[in-house]
């Protein structure tokens, strides 16, 4: 009979194959570039809007009060001296245009998860990015046609992009070994925020120096890049290790033994009743929704805040608006690496890692938003706090955002679809609320109300997740087919395929 030390060692995850770049890393890179594209497509309108709208005409029409920070600037200060845009849209109209994307986005979240689970995530994810990119090419035409046509186009773009995250979650449930979920998932999804970082300054430059009249070139450039990415995705991405033509045998065995091999019975139904009774499911949904209120408010409205309140010109505005997302990307990836190291070495359980990173990713941004009020018109400190708020929010990627893969990997795509459906509501309401609060008075005080609301929602989401969240696989995540045990070695490692007792941390700490 083997000793206790040998028994414990045999139950540890199989060692990863030699080599630093495998098929799973190739998938992470391709999906990273995919999310880079879709978030560049999503945020480009936020920057272009500053150049598209005739702010002088809007202020004159509304007789609005301007920011005291702008009033205090010298006549040769940083207020934009560039030519005004061609559209006279009120702040409320701008909020509706910016939020319209999410009316389509919310409709295809659950559909994306279901389709990816049934037909595979490769095609669903790829078509989601491609449709969004192709429609983006039509934005200048739609805007000049009518504001209603632009809103309709943005809704259709939301339909396309809505399937992307659930489809990718479904793919990771087959590709990501449990102890690599944080770093692979975080790197993949951090493409959203590096895309945001790149799109903002590039969009600002294109608005001033681009072809086709400036701001239209923003949509032509990023739309074309998304279409090119689609070609490479369809050539080199695969739904699972089993279908990959060029994966090494060692890597394929490592992934499948770590995750297990699952087969969905024909009679299987979704455990909807169990989900409705599951506190960890509610914890993910609430944390996701609360996080997105603050995140989407900053994503869509910060360029406007930088111009009308802090008085930055469009070039400086786009650069300063972009820097926080580079910080977000860096902090998110560092957090993902540290999370998996802590879990692998037994420093903390998956549950504690997810809760700790969620708290840091939501509470620090909340405190930064609250602190903006106290720095007054100090441009440097106000900008630094905005950067801190968005940058530290990157830790949520390795907190609650990958938690679907912990509590229910067999249904991760659908669970993400459910949580992201509800978490899209802030994307629709946030910009509109900002427009209502700042419609008549573009003052620092009115904008601080916006920040207070976001900070309070951040804090509530973190508290709820700490109380009800979990990093353990739930009992409702069932169905499995175990391979026959051909040897004593396979018998000792059969715990990898035990769905109801899947937990590494106690073994690692033994």
């Amino acid at each position: 009979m083997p000793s206790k030390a040998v028994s414990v060692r045999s139950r540890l995850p199989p060692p990863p194959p030699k080599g630093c770049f495998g098929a799973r890393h190739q998938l992470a890179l391709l999906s990273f570039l995919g999310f880079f594209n879709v978030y560049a497509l999503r945020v480009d309108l936020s920057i272009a809007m500053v150049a598209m709208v005739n702010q002088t005409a809007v202020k004159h029409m509304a007789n609005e009060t301007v920011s005291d920070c702008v009033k205090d600037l010298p006549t040769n200060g940083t207020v934009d001296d560039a030519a005004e845009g061609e559209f006279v849209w009120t702040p409320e109209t701008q909020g509706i245009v910016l939020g319209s994307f999410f009316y389509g986005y919310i409709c295809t979240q659950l559909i994306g998860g279901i389709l990816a689970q049934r037909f595979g995530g490769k095609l669903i994810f790829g078509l989601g990015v491609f449709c969004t990119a192709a429609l983006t090419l039509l934005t200048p035409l739609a805007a000049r046609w009518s504001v209603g046509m632009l809103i309709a186009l943005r809704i259709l773009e939301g339909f396309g992009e809505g399937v992307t995250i659930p489809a990718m979650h479904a793919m990771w449930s087959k590709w990501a070994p449990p102890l690599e979920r944080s770093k692979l998932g975080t790197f993949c999804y951090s493409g959203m925020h590096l895309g945001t970082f790149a799109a903002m300054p590039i969009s600002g430059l294109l608005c001033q120096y681009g072809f086709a009249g400036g701001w239209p070139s923003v949509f032509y450039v990023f739309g074309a890049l998304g279409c090119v990415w689609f070609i490479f995705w369809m050539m080199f991405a695969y739904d699972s290790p089993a279908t990959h033509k060029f994966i090494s045998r060692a890597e394929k065995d490592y992934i499948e033994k770590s995750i297990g091999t699952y087969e969905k019975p024909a009679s299987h139904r979704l455990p909807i009743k169990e989900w409705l009774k599951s506190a960890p499911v509610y914890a993910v949904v609430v944390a996701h929704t609360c996080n997105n209120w603050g995140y989407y408010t900053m994503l869509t409205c910060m360029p406007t805040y930088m111009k009308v309140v802090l008085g930055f010109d469009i070039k400086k505005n786009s650069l300063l608006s972009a820097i926080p997302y580079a910080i977000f990307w860096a902090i998110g990836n560092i957090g993902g690496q540290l999370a998996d190291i802590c879990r692998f070495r037994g420093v903390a359980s998956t549950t504690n890692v997810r809760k700790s990173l969620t708290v840091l990713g939501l509470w620090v941004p909340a405190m930064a938003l609250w602190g903006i009020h106290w720095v007054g018109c100090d441009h440097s400190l106000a900008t630094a706090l905005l950067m801190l708020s968005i940058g530290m929010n990157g830790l949520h990627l390795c907190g609650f955002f990958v938690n679907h893969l912990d509590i229910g990997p067999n249904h991760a795509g659908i669970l993400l679809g459910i949580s992201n459906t509800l978490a899209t509501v802030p994307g629709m309401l946030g910009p509109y609320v900002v427009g209502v609060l700042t419609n008549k008075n573009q003052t620092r005080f009115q904008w601080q109300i916006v920040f207070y609301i976001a900070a309070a929602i951040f804090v509530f989401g973190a508290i709820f997740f700490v109380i009800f969240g979990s990093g353990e696989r739930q009992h409702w995540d069932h169905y499995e087919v175990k391979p026959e045990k051909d040897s004593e070695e396979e018998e000792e490692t059969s715990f990898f395929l035990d769905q109801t007792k899947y937990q590494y941390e106690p073994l690692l700490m033994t």
Side-chain angles (χ1 to χ4, degrees), residues 48-93:
M49 182 77 75
V50 179
M52 293 167 69
V53 174
N54 189 318
Q55 300 288 352
T56 302
V58 171
K59 291 175 182 178
H60 178 74
M61 180 180 64
N63 192 28
E64 69 178 27
T65 304
V66 299
S67 166
D68 52 336
C69 295
V70 173
K71 287 178 181 178
D72 293 339
L73 288 174
T75 55
N76 61 346
T78 59
V79 179
D80 195 0
D81 296 323
E84 291 284 6
E86 58 190 275
F87 304 106
V88 183
W89 296 336
T90 66
E92 283 183 289
T93 300

Side-chain angles (χ1 to χ4, degrees), residues 223-266:
L225 287 175
C227 293
V228 171
W229 169 89
F230 175 71
I231 298 173
F232 286 93
W233 173 260
M234 296 305 295
M235 289 174 59
F236 298 111
Y238 293 86
D239 282 311
S240 67
T243 61
H244 200 294
K245 295 181 180 179
F246 306 108
I247 189 173
S248 69
R249 179 70 181 180
E251 184 179 14
K252 182 174 179 289
D253 289 344
Y254 164 63
I255 295 172
E256 291 185 344
K257 286 182 180 180
S258 296
I259 297 176
T261 303
Y262 314 115
E263 182 178 313
K264 182 179 178 179

Side-chain angles (χ1 to χ4, degrees), residues 18-55:
K18 295 181 179 180
C20 60
F21 192 84
R24 65 194 187 282
H25 304 115
Q26 174 182 290
L27 178 65
L29 179 60
L30 285 170
S31 57
F32 167 88
L33 293 174
F35 282 116
F36 180 100
N37 274 284
V38 292
Y39 264 65
L41 295 171
R42 180 187 298 194
V43 78
D44 54 9
L45 182 60
S46 299
I47 293 294
M49 182 77 75
V50 179
M52 293 167 69
V53 174
N54 189 318
Q55 300 288 352

Side-chain angles (χ1 to χ4, degrees), residues 4-24:
K4 180 179 179 181
V6 173
S7 177
V8 170
R9 190 179 304 112
S10 69
R11 295 188 179 189
L12 291 175
K18 295 181 179 180
C20 60
F21 192 84
R24 65 194 187 282

Side-chain angles (χ1 to χ4, degrees), residues 4 14 104 268 273 383 432:
K4 180 179 179 181
H268 177 72
K273 291 183 179 179
T383 303
Y432 180 74

Side-chain angles (χ1 to χ4, degrees), residues 144-407:
R144 286 168 174 158
W145 187 307
S146 70
V147 68
M149 186 63 68
L150 177 60
I151 290 171
L153 183 71
R154 292 290 290 180
I155 291 174
L156 290 176
E157 289 180 30
F159 276 123
E161 190 173 328
V163 303
T164 54
I165 299 179
M168 200 63 236
H169 244 49
M171 291 188 73
W172 281 128
S173 69
K174 299 176 182 178
W175 273 100
L179 290 182
E180 294 186 21
R181 284 172 182 160
S182 298
K183 58 187 177 185
L184 288 174
T186 298
F187 177 77
C188 159
Y189 296 120
S190 68
M192 307 173 187
H193 314 291
L194 199 61
T196 302
F197 165 72
M200 284 186 168
I202 293 174
S203 296
L205 291 172
L206 288 173
C207 283
Q208 286 207 324
Y209 307 114
F211 56 92
W215 64 262
S217 64
V218 174
F219 304 103
Y220 296 142
V221 168
F222 289 110
L225 287 175
C227 293
V228 171
W229 169 89
F230 175 71
I231 298 173
F232 286 93
W233 173 260
M234 296 305 295
M235 289 174 59
F236 298 111
Y238 293 86
D239 282 311
S240 67
T243 61
H244 200 294
K245 295 181 180 179
F246 306 108
I247 189 173
S248 69
R249 179 70 181 180
E251 184 179 14
K252 182 174 179 289
D253 289 344
Y254 164 63
I255 295 172
E256 291 185 344
K257 286 182 180 180
S258 296
I259 297 176
T261 303
Y262 314 115
E263 182 178 313
K264 182 179 178 179
S267 60
H268 177 72
R269 63 173 181 82
L270 294 176
I272 296 175
K273 291 183 179 179
E274 288 81 358
W275 290 345
L276 292 174
K277 299 176 184 177
S278 176
V281 170
Y282 284 106
V284 173
V285 170
V286 171
H288 199 166
T289 303
C290 291
N291 175 81
N292 279 17
W293 181 281
Y295 178 78
Y296 283 143
T297 297
M298 295 295 99
L299 179 67
T300 57
C301 300
M302 194 170 73
T304 301
Y305 175 81
M306 300 288 279
K307 176 174 182 177
V308 301
V309 177
L310 298 182
F312 290 116
D313 63 75
I314 191 168
K315 287 186 291 185
K316 194 170 184 179
N317 181 349
S318 58
L319 178 60
L320 291 174
S321 297
I323 290 174
Y325 297 97
I327 301 172
F328 185 114
W329 175 81
I331 290 178
N333 278 286
I334 292 171
Q337 295 287 338
L338 292 177
D340 281 346
I341 290 173
C342 289
R343 295 166 64 226
F344 182 80
R345 294 183 178 178
V347 175
S349 67
T350 299
T351 298
N352 289 335
V353 167
R354 301 294 182 230
K355 290 182 177 181
S356 299
L357 293 173
T358 297
V359 168
L360 288 173
L362 272 65
W363 279 15
V364 174
M367 290 186 288
L369 290 176
W370 178 81
I372 291 175
H373 171 73
W374 303 103
V375 301
C377 291
D378 188 318
H379 288 58
S380 298
L381 286 178
T383 303
L385 288 174
L386 283 171
M387 291 182 180
L388 177 65
S389 178
I390 296 175
M392 286 299 294
N393 187 235
L395 291 175
H396 85 265
L397 289 178
C398 38
F400 70 81
F401 198 78
V402 295
N403 193 228
H404 313 78
L405 292 166
D406 299 319
I407 64 175

